Amino acid sequence: MIPGKYRSVSGRATNNVNCGLHLVIQTSSLPEKNKVEFRLNKETSSFPGRLLQHDLERNYSSRQGDHINLVSSSMPSFPILQRSSEEKILYSDRLTLERQKLTVCPVIDGEEHLRLLNFQHNFITRIQNISNLQRLIFLDLYDNQIEEISGLSTLRSLRVLLLGKNRIKKISNLENLKSLDVLDLHGNQITKIENVNHLCALRVLNLARNLLSHVDNLTGLDSLTELNLRHNQITFVRDVDNLPCLQRLFLSFNNISNFESVCCLADSASLSDITFDGNPIAQESWYKHTVLQNMMQLRQLDMKRVTEEERRMASLVAKKEEEKKRESHKQSLLKEKKRLTINNVARKWDLQQHRVTSIATNQDRKDTDSPSQDSCQMDGSTISAFPEETGPLDPVLTNALQGLSVTDTHLVEVEGDTLSLYGSGALESLDRNWSVQTAGMVTTVSFTFIEFDEIVQVLPKLKMKFPNSLHLKFKETNLVMLQQFNALAQLRRIDQLTIDPQGNPVVNFTLWKYYVLFRLSHFSMQKINGTEVTQNDMIMAERLFGILAHVASSELPQYRVISILGDARKKQFRYLQETKGKKPGIVNEENNDSKRLVGENTNRAMLNYTTRDFYNEKLEEIKEKKKFCQMYIEDLVKEATEINKKNEALQKLWPQMFIELVRDAVIEIRSKNSYMKLCLQQITDQK
């Protein structure tokens, strides 16, 4: 018991208290019960100005003189609320207990006829002790500490439920509130919209200032006209187009960054008022035009009326966007066809490489004594692994692609200043009649899935058709030996060279770049595989391979050198031969002039490359010549052997023959007169 009697400092029940409530606590001297007396004085409440607009809010005004007694029950934690009969008659359908520092809901006896109950600005943690108020249609628990929605299952007549600014984390236990018209859950900790699909009569749903990241699961809310989702973390919206009566949608201050994440809004025929301000999308220049062109029925955007001029501008922008979309669709078709063609070329290349590998392996087993100079032997170990894009495609694009041909075995593409050739069949394009403008524009030529030996055969055409080509790219071309780079010397000029490691084992050689710089030094190359060529690189290349060119030119006989060189090189070579012995000054001056005319060093010109096709054409001829030479040498050896045998026999017989010759000569001249007569007789007989 609390001895004595306490009256609040707020004084008597007057009309000058802003909160509209006077509290009187008193205890009876009777020991059998404690009595706590509340005196409420309610002027026009500020509550309707803060709440959602609703018809029942007018019931909050013009209330005075509520006098309520809370009597402690047998359970000390729940006080019992009692009002006098006069107050029940005067304010029979409403009860306000706001700002009373309540931590629990009191037990309300004899008030089953209540229709409006207000617990604003208290400390209530759980909804309870109101299950008997089955006629209640308006329940306000704004600004409390409620963590779970509960205790409402019997309130089947409830139409307005205000639970804003609490600690609720989940929407639940609303199954029996099928007559609910307004549900306010703003300022809570809700992360997901759920358990509201059965509220077919709900017209207003307020979920502002929660923790929502997406909007969905709204089916069944057939009467919803207003949805407030301000100040959340929403990135995309779904199911809004399934709300047939929705007119106002507030999405301000969320994380929506593109229209695609809210594209379902365009399918809503009833939506007339929407807000996106405070979202990243609202900062984009195309924001307003995009929204208006997709939602032509809007009357207000971001709380501003949409004008006819804005609609007209949006329509113009929509037409331009449609044209861009068609062009983008066309480009997507071309891009996808290119991808399919390249994949087809890659598969064909893989099969070809497997076949070449098998043939080369069998040939190596049969001809283990084949010449080491066979420049066309390939290890065949590189298999193409061209990546296929498997990303999802637009359904319209997928349907259009069904008519594309995927049997093409080559592709020719000019994009900007780059000519890209895929597959050996693409080399035939060099025979086309290219326009002067297109041919002059091409500065980069890319070869992919083409044998380097086939490329070598068209290099003269490339030099003529595309005179400004300065950059060559090779990917999956079977560059397997340094000798193959010799073939590039026949071009007019190369500033950059890119050799992709994929399908080109030659890049695994440590010194391949230096060999390229040495062999193609007359081009003064600037970059190799994107790396700048320095003067030190040129010096190192000369040191490593300079002796190679000297040996190649000095060890070959003159007729062989002349057969290798072209006409210009032949003139230069003869010139060098003829200038031997001239004065150094004259030779150097003339030699410099010759270099400027010819370009490539004669010694380096000895380093050439023979393609597989040329080698195959000459192989039989080489074999015949080899056979002829073998037979000729065998005949020479046989004849030399016979001569040697005769010489040996002569050496054995010569001593005896010499003795006999000397003896016969001595005998003949022993008688001088007889010998003279014999000689005269022989002369006479000859006449």
Side-chain angles (χ1 to χ4, degrees):
M1 298 182 186
I2 303 176
K5 184 176 181 181
Y6 300 89
R7 189 172 299 272
S8 68
V9 295
S10 52
R12 300 176 181 177
T14 60
N15 296 334
N16 59 356
V17 182
N18 292 334
C19 65
L21 177 65
H22 294 263
L23 175 61
V24 177
I25 303 176
Q26 64 180 17
T27 57
S28 171
S29 59
L30 297 176
E32 65 272 12
K33 67 177 181 179
N34 297 329
K35 180 179 293 185
V36 182
E37 178 181 342
F38 289 87
R39 185 179 301 276
L40 295 98
N41 183 22
K42 188 72 174 179
E43 290 184 341
T44 303
S45 174
S46 61
F47 183 71
R50 180 189 53 78
L51 293 177
L52 298 171
Q53 296 299 322
H54 191 271
D55 295 340
L56 293 178
E57 290 179 354
R58 65 179 180 271
N59 294 328
Y60 268 96
S61 59
S62 303
R63 291 186 293 147
Q64 299 179 357
D66 288 359
H67 188 91
I68 302 167
N69 291 331
L70 283 178
V71 183
S72 62
S73 67
S74 59
M75 298 178 62
S77 59
F78 296 116
I80 299 175
L81 183 143
Q82 293 180 351
R83 292 194 297 176
S84 64
S85 57
E86 294 83 3
E87 292 164 349
K88 288 183 180 181
I89 294 173
L90 186 59
Y91 306 111
S92 61
D93 61 348
R94 69 200 69 177
L95 177 61
T96 297
L97 293 173
E98 64 175 278
R99 301 184 189 275
Q100 298 302 308
K101 300 182 180 180
L102 296 174
T103 59
V104 296
C105 295
V107 176
I108 304 175
D109 285 336
E111 301 282 355
E112 289 78 7
H113 50 277
L114 278 181
R115 302 183 66 189
L116 186 152
L117 181 59
N118 177 13
F119 284 114
Q120 285 187 30
H121 307 294
N122 282 290
F123 304 99
I124 299 172
T125 58
R126 185 178 178 184
I127 305 173
Q128 52 192 348
N129 300 326
I130 60 173
S131 58
N132 59 319
L133 308 178
Q134 298 183 10
R135 296 184 181 181
L136 198 66
I137 63 173
F138 195 113
L139 177 60
D140 187 355
L141 286 159
Y142 171 79
D143 191 18
N144 279 277
Q145 299 178 9
I146 299 170
E147 297 183 356
E148 181 184 7
I149 303 175
S150 60
L152 304 174
S153 58
T154 61
L155 308 182
R156 300 178 182 275
S157 298
L158 194 65
R159 295 182 58 193
V160 179
L161 177 59
L162 308 179
L163 289 169
K165 201 176 179 182
N166 278 279
R167 301 176 182 179
I168 300 170
K169 298 180 179 179
K170 182 179 180 180
I171 304 175
S172 60
N173 300 319
L174 300 176
E175 290 78 9
N176 295 333
L177 306 185
K178 296 182 179 180
S179 299
L180 202 61
D181 188 72
V182 176
L183 177 59
D184 181 12
L185 292 169
H186 81 277
N188 283 281
Q189 303 170 22
I190 299 170
T191 60
K192 182 180 180 182
I193 301 177
E194 56 186 337
N195 301 320
V196 295
N197 306 94
H198 63 286
L199 302 177
C200 56
L202 189 67
R203 292 192 303 112
V204 178
L205 176 59
N206 187 359
L207 289 169
R209 297 186 183 276
N210 277 279
L211 303 177
L212 299 174
S213 61
H214 56 277
V215 179
D216 56 6
N217 199 21
L218 295 173
T219 55
L221 301 179
D222 296 338
S223 301
L224 192 66
T225 60
E226 180 177 315
L227 178 58
N228 189 351
L229 298 169
R230 291 187 176 100
H231 294 281
N232 277 278
Q233 303 167 12
I234 298 170
T235 57
F236 67 89
V237 177
R238 296 175 184 165
D239 291 349
V240 173
D241 52 319
N242 295 324
L243 303 176
C245 297
L246 186 65
Q247 298 177 10
R248 296 175 295 279
L249 176 61
F250 306 112
L251 288 166
S252 305
F253 300 99
N254 280 283
N255 292 329
I256 300 171
S257 58
N258 56 74
F259 190 79
E260 287 71 20
S261 59
V262 293
C263 59
C264 64
L265 302 179
D267 299 325
S268 175
S270 59
L271 198 59
S272 62
D273 190 353
I274 193 168
T275 64
F276 285 111
D277 54 300
N279 284 274
I281 189 176
Q283 306 300 321
E284 301 292 342
S285 58
W286 45 262
Y287 157 65
K288 180 175 288 188
H289 296 311
T290 302
V291 173
L292 292 180
Q293 75 185 36
N294 287 278
M295 305 175 67
M296 299 299 294
Q297 77 281 9
L298 283 185
R299 292 198 299 259
Q300 285 195 132
L301 176 61
D302 295 334
M303 307 304 290
K304 296 179 181 178
R305 188 175 65 86
V306 178
T307 64
E308 291 301 322
E309 178 64 18
E310 289 174 333
R311 295 184 190 278
R312 188 182 66 82
M313 291 300 298
S315 178
L316 293 177
V317 173
K319 292 180 180 179
K320 293 182 179 179
E321 289 295 329
E322 185 64 25
E323 293 176 358
K324 290 182 180 179
K325 186 176 180 180
R326 285 196 296 267
E327 182 64 23
S328 176
H329 180 72
K330 179 181 177 181
Q331 294 300 323
S332 298
L333 285 175
L334 295 176
K335 183 178 179 180
E336 184 62 15
K337 183 176 181 180
K338 172 185 173 181
R339 186 184 71 84
L340 294 174
T341 302
I342 292 176
N343 288 340
N344 192 49
V345 174
R347 285 191 291 270
K348 182 180 178 182
W349 172 262
D350 287 341
L351 293 175
Q352 179 182 345
Q353 297 311 301
H354 283 301
R355 186 163 54 249
V356 170
T357 302
S358 301
I359 294 175
T361 303
N362 295 334
Q363 186 67 23
D364 289 341
R365 291 175 181 174
K366 293 179 182 179
D367 302 329
T368 56
D369 58 343
S370 59
S372 60
Q373 291 83 6
D374 184 3
S375 61
C376 298
Q377 290 294 328
M378 301 181 184
D379 63 356
S381 61
T382 303
I383 303 300
S384 170
F386 195 88
E388 294 192 12
E389 301 175 12
T390 58
L393 296 177
D394 183 82
V396 178
L397 180 59
T398 303
N399 294 333
L401 288 174
Q402 293 178 355
L404 291 181
S405 171
V406 295
T407 59
D408 295 336
T409 57
H410 67 274
L411 175 67
V412 180
E413 180 185 35
V414 177
E415 186 174 0
D417 61 352
T418 302
L419 170 65
S420 300
L421 305 175
Y422 299 87
S424 58
L427 297 177
E428 298 176 1
S429 65
L430 298 178
D431 294 327
R432 296 179 185 173
N433 293 325
W434 294 86
S435 66
V436 176
Q437 181 179 1
T438 302
M441 182 177 58
V442 172
T443 59
T444 302
V445 182
S446 174
F447 301 94
T448 308
F449 302 122
I450 308 174
E451 287 283 352
F452 184 79
D453 287 357
E454 297 182 33
I455 298 174
V456 171
Q457 298 176 20
V458 301
L459 289 180
K461 297 179 182 178
L462 182 66
K463 179 173 63 174
M464 295 179 61
K465 293 283 187 178
F466 303 97
N468 296 328
S469 59
L470 305 175
H471 185 188
L472 296 184
K473 296 181 178 180
F474 297 92
K475 179 179 180 181
E476 294 282 6
T477 56
N478 267 340
L479 271 166
V480 297
M481 60 182 67
L482 298 178
Q483 188 179 0
Q484 290 174 295
F485 290 115
N486 299 339
L488 300 179
Q490 60 184 298
L491 293 173
R492 178 178 285 106
R493 180 182 174 186
I494 301 177
D495 284 352
Q496 295 187 52
L497 183 65
T498 301
I499 309 297
D500 196 294
Q502 187 172 336
N504 296 307
V506 71
V507 299
N508 296 325
F509 299 160
T510 305
L511 303 178
W512 76 273
K513 292 183 180 180
Y514 292 110
Y515 183 80
V516 170
L517 292 176
F518 168 76
R519 183 61 186 87
L520 306 179
S521 61
H522 58 290
F523 290 146
S524 299
M525 297 183 64
Q526 299 176 4
K527 289 184 180 181
I528 296 181
N529 277 13
T531 304
E532 293 284 347
V533 176
T534 64
Q535 187 63 30
N536 291 335
D537 293 333
M538 299 299 297
I539 294 173
M540 179 61 71
E542 187 66 30
R543 288 179 179 176
L544 291 172
F545 297 103
I547 189 64
L548 179 65
H550 175 72
V551 172
S553 61
S554 61
E555 295 298 324
L556 289 176
Q558 182 176 349
Y559 77 91
R560 179 60 177 156
V561 172
I562 294 176
S563 66
I564 293 176
L565 297 175
D567 293 338
R569 305 299 195 281
K570 290 177 184 178
K571 294 179 181 179
Q572 185 187 22
F573 182 76
R574 291 194 182 100
Y575 166 79
L576 293 175
Q577 294 294 322
E578 293 172 358
T579 54
K580 287 183 178 180
K582 289 187 177 182
K583 294 181 180 180
I586 299 175
V587 173
N588 290 337
E589 185 178 352
E590 294 178 354
N591 190 33
N592 290 335
D593 293 339
S594 178
K595 279 187 177 180
R596 283 194 294 269
L597 292 174
V598 178
E600 185 182 10
N601 184 280
T602 304
N603 290 344
R604 289 177 172 81
M606 299 297 103
L607 304 173
N608 62 349
Y609 173 64
T610 303
T611 65
R612 174 186 287 271
D613 291 340
F614 181 80
Y615 180 83
N616 290 337
E617 292 174 359
K618 298 297 180 179
L619 184 60
E620 293 298 327
E621 182 180 350
I622 292 173
K623 289 181 178 180
E624 291 295 329
K625 288 182 179 180
K626 181 178 178 181
K627 184 178 180 181
F628 171 78
C629 292
Q630 186 175 0
M631 293 176 62
Y632 181 73
I633 291 175
E634 288 176 355
D635 292 341
L636 290 178
V637 171
K638 184 177 181 181
E639 185 177 351
T641 301
E642 292 176 356
I643 293 173
N644 186 54
K645 289 180 180 180
K646 291 179 181 180
N647 185 45
E648 290 178 354
L650 178 61
Q651 294 297 328
K652 292 179 180 179
L653 296 175
W654 176 250
Q656 184 61 32
M657 291 174 62
F658 183 75
I659 293 173
E660 292 178 356
L661 288 173
V662 172
R663 186 191 62 186
D664 292 343
V666 171
I667 293 174
E668 287 178 353
I669 65 172
R670 184 173 54 182
S671 176
K672 184 177 180 181
N673 294 329
S674 299
Y675 180 71
M676 292 176 62
K677 289 180 180 180
L678 181 60
C679 291
L680 290 171
Q681 185 63 39
Q682 290 177 350
I683 293 172
T684 303
D685 294 340
Q686 290 178 356
K687 292 181 178 180

